[in-house]
Amino acid sequence: MKDYHINIFYSQEDGSYIADIPDLKYCSASGVTPQKALEEVLVAQKLWLEEAKEME
């Protein structure tokens, strides 16, 4: 699987950490810690890529 850049930042508005993958439109996740947000966005990445492959 290709490596993608992942941004992780704290959102005051959401009260949690947000992880997003800029190269995959709308692929993001949140978590109570940066590590949890990363774990969740990696799951979202896998699902995003599977769905994109099915739509080819």
Side-chain angles (χ1 to χ4, degrees):
M1 182 185 315
K2 179 182 172 187
D3 288 332
Y4 290 92
H5 177 82
I6 298 173
N7 297 315
I8 300 176
F9 57 93
Y10 185 77
S11 169
Q12 284 288 111
E13 183 178 329
D14 297 320
S16 63
Y17 288 88
I18 306 297
D20 76 326
I21 303 175
D23 291 338
L24 305 179
K25 192 172 185 176
Y26 306 121
C27 186
S28 65
S30 64
V32 295
T33 65
Q35 181 62 36
K36 189 62 177 169
L38 176 60
E39 291 170 9
E40 294 296 327
V41 83
L42 291 175
V43 170
Q45 174 188 358
K46 181 178 182 287
L47 296 172
W48 194 103
L49 292 171
E50 287 174 359
E51 184 67 24
K53 190 172 190 171
E54 287 181 14
M55 295 182 77
E56 287 183 339

